[in-house]
Amino acid sequence: MDSNLQQRLVALFQRTAATVPAYRAFLDHNGIDPASVVDAAGFARIPLITKKNYHHRYPLPQRCRDGDLGACDLIAVSSGSTGAPAFWPRSAADEAAATRRFEQVLVHGFDATHRRTLAVVCFPLGTWVGGLYTLSCLRGLAAELAMTIVAPGNNKAEILRVIPELGPHFDQVVLFGYPPFLKDVIDTGLREGVDWSRFAPKLVCAGEVFSEQWRDLMGKRAGLDPVRDVAAVYGTADGGVLGNETPLSVRIRRFLAEHPGPARELFGGQRLPTLMQYNPADRYFETVDGTLVFTADSGVPLIRYHIADDGGVIPHERLVEFCKAHGFEPDEETGPDLPFVFVFGRAIHAVSVFGANVFPETVSLGLERAEISEWVTGKFVLEAWEDADRDRLLRITVELGPGEPNTAERTRLVAAAIRDELLTHNSEYANYVPAERHLPHVELRPAGDPDYFPAGVKHRYTR
């Protein structure tokens, strides 16, 4: 840690300890004297905060500066992926760091400084964090860029109405949303005769890990460059936007997807995480027991907050040199000299069968095969079921595309494809699950099935 970053972190800690009543109480409860934290070593000894030991213990106003909830401009609500939704107040000033991440995607990735850009916010609007937060950050950039914003939210019909009407007046159209929803928008547009290539589309995704096969599929269907025209951001309700993909991080991830040996050596397993870059001056990451901890200023300042996402951090030079040693050839544009953060998501989003963890991103590979992807949406639900003999089995419910028939042959094809991907990419599944149970139980359901794929809500891949 360089001296400037160390000073910033210690100053943020001291300011939070002095002005946030809940944090002062938390430090007192843990026997921490704020005056003892003067350097990086002291900072590393500060106890981690979690939703359980901090947010659920202290009232919301006490977690704000000076105990004043009214000093915040906006309150967002988390999606509640790990339980009851949580409230996250913030002010306009708190969005500056997140705005810089969007700026890096739009300016350095999509050249929005010189290309007239229509930004289409496709995240749900309302109290949930994605839509209004993205809209607010983009409005902060619009005056600096050649960019105009429209916010239809996750209303697919409205999205497909405004893009053909407005898109021809711009050099490019950038869609912001969750990956499966953006895929649904692209696919529905194609069925309705939309020629996406006319709009030079770009995608900014958040909320879940997606594969390089998914990126290639979107490139093919929307007529975009999968390396330069699709960018993921690491966004959370509690911390805002923490990091973002860059053309360099995408190229490295695609290289590692094709070289599973180095990927396993680097990430410590067979799953391929999202790989992004971040600015430690805005969001400082640490790794604790294979999970991510970050520090960030906001309406509720977070000091060493354990977000519980599986992942890690890698210095910029180390990652580039590691990949070069295995045959990666960076182009002239090496990207920003910022460290990398890799994110798997949370282990709670896996299901366990015979002791083998099955993760959604591996199942996705089977549905993204060319012989299947034309008639499924990409959404599915993983479940671990017990049969009449109390034996565990893997059940996968898959959403068909609109109007697509449910046939026994299609069910067989999906089950076989998922089995093959699991055996290839998941050594636990290959070795723990008995061979006679490798083939998962698959059920195909129509688009928008109310029990598994209700419209208008963020999709959950596991039960």
Side-chain angles (χ1 to χ4, degrees):
M1 184 190 302
D2 65 44
S3 59
N4 288 336
L5 179 57
Q6 173 180 284
Q7 291 175 6
R8 290 173 69 107
L9 289 173
V10 170
L12 175 59
F13 165 77
Q14 296 289 355
R15 188 167 70 253
T16 302
T19 62
V20 178
Y23 196 61
R24 287 200 303 272
F26 173 80
L27 294 175
D28 288 343
H29 178 77
N30 286 277
I32 302 297
D33 177 8
S36 69
V37 178
V38 296
D39 55 18
F43 186 85
R45 290 193 295 268
I46 299 170
L48 305 184
I49 62 174
T50 67
K51 285 184 178 178
K52 182 177 180 180
N53 73 10
Y54 189 65
H55 299 288
H56 296 168
R57 180 173 294 177
Y58 302 101
L60 179 59
Q62 296 297 298
R63 289 181 265 126
C64 300
R65 296 208 181 279
D66 301 316
D68 184 7
L69 179 60
C72 297
D73 303 331
L74 180 70
I75 297 177
V77 181
S78 73
S79 61
S81 60
T82 59
F87 296 96
W88 300 98
R90 55 174 50 92
S91 68
D94 298 327
E95 294 170 359
T99 300
R100 286 191 285 272
R101 303 281 66 77
F102 282 118
E103 181 180 24
Q104 190 171 71
V105 170
L106 290 164
V107 173
H108 301 290
F110 302 162
D111 194 25
T113 303
H114 303 103
R115 306 187 70 194
R116 294 172 303 161
T117 301
L118 176 66
V120 186
V121 179
C122 303
F123 290 111
L125 302 174
T127 58
W128 307 106
V129 67
L132 292 183
Y133 190 75
T134 301
L135 178 61
S136 180
C137 290
L138 294 180
R139 288 203 71 179
L141 287 173
E144 304 173 19
L145 307 178
M147 184 170 69
T148 301
I149 308 161
V150 62
N154 61 338
N155 184 328
K156 186 168 60 173
E158 185 68 5
I159 294 168
L160 293 173
R161 186 180 74 84
V162 300
I163 290 178
E165 183 73 23
L166 300 176
H169 304 295
F170 295 86
D171 299 322
Q172 60 184 356
V173 173
V174 182
L175 284 72
F176 296 76
Y178 297 118
F181 182 73
L182 293 184
K183 178 180 181 295
D184 189 20
V185 169
I186 297 297
D187 290 346
T188 303
L190 289 173
R191 288 192 296 269
E192 295 180 2
V194 175
D195 178 6
W196 288 104
S197 62
R198 290 179 53 215
F199 308 118
K202 312 286 187 292
L203 306 180
V204 178
C205 306
E208 61 190 63
V209 178
F210 56 81
S211 70
E212 292 308 309
Q213 288 91 328
W214 186 90
R215 204 190 304 261
D216 287 336
L217 184 63
M218 291 300 94
K220 177 182 177 182
R221 293 188 180 179
L224 52 81
D225 180 343
V227 174
R228 299 201 65 90
D229 295 345
V230 182
V233 297
Y234 182 19
T236 68
D238 29 27
V241 180
L242 306 175
N244 59 276
E245 284 189 327
T246 62
L248 174 62
S249 76
V250 173
R251 291 189 67 237
I252 290 176
R253 187 177 191 255
R254 291 170 74 81
F255 170 80
L256 293 170
E258 296 174 356
H259 297 80
R264 282 194 297 271
E265 179 183 347
L266 187 66
F267 300 127
Q270 299 179 62
R271 300 164 63 200
L272 186 67
T274 300
L275 181 66
M276 307 187 193
Q277 293 185 266
Y278 71 99
N279 187 340
D282 290 332
R283 301 290 188 260
Y284 177 67
F285 277 106
E286 302 171 79
T287 308
V288 176
D289 297 329
T291 59
L292 291 170
V293 170
F294 73 83
T295 296
D297 200 1
S298 187
V300 173
L302 299 171
I303 308 296
R304 305 200 75 212
Y305 176 61
H306 188 218
I307 195 171
D309 281 338
D310 294 338
V313 295
I314 309 174
H316 180 277
E317 183 177 0
R318 179 191 157 206
L319 180 57
V320 173
E321 291 303 316
F322 174 90
C323 293
K324 287 170 65 176
H326 289 87
F328 176 72
E329 297 182 3
D331 57 17
E332 306 80 26
E333 183 184 357
T334 57
D337 186 14
L338 293 173
F340 293 85
V341 57
F342 60 91
V343 187
F344 292 106
R346 298 180 185 176
I348 62 167
H349 294 158
V351 299
S352 180
V353 181
F354 288 90
N357 285 326
V358 177
F359 294 91
E361 55 263 37
T362 311
V363 174
S364 291
L365 297 176
L367 302 182
E368 289 158 5
R369 291 187 174 188
E371 66 271 24
I372 294 173
S373 61
E374 295 296 329
W375 41 267
V376 299
T377 66
K379 292 182 183 178
F380 57 89
V381 174
L382 282 174
E383 299 172 271
W385 268 30
E386 288 186 348
D387 62 18
D389 293 328
R390 299 300 181 185
D391 288 327
R392 301 281 279 184
L393 58 87
L394 180 63
R395 174 187 170 94
I396 305 171
T397 305
V398 177
E399 185 181 42
L400 290 162
E404 293 290 346
N406 180 353
T407 68
E409 174 59 21
R410 285 184 165 184
T411 301
R412 184 202 64 78
L413 190 63
V414 168
I418 293 173
R419 175 200 60 198
D420 294 348
E421 295 294 345
L422 286 170
L423 294 178
T424 299
H425 297 284
N426 188 328
S427 62
E428 284 187 354
Y429 192 85
N431 290 282
Y432 296 179
V433 179
E436 64 272 17
R437 294 185 176 273
H438 280 169
L439 191 71
H441 176 82
V442 167
E443 179 177 341
L444 305 182
R445 293 211 176 191
D449 180 89
D451 293 330
Y452 280 85
F453 309 107
V457 299
K458 185 178 180 181
H459 181 61
R460 304 293 183 211
Y461 286 89
T462 58
R463 288 189 180 181

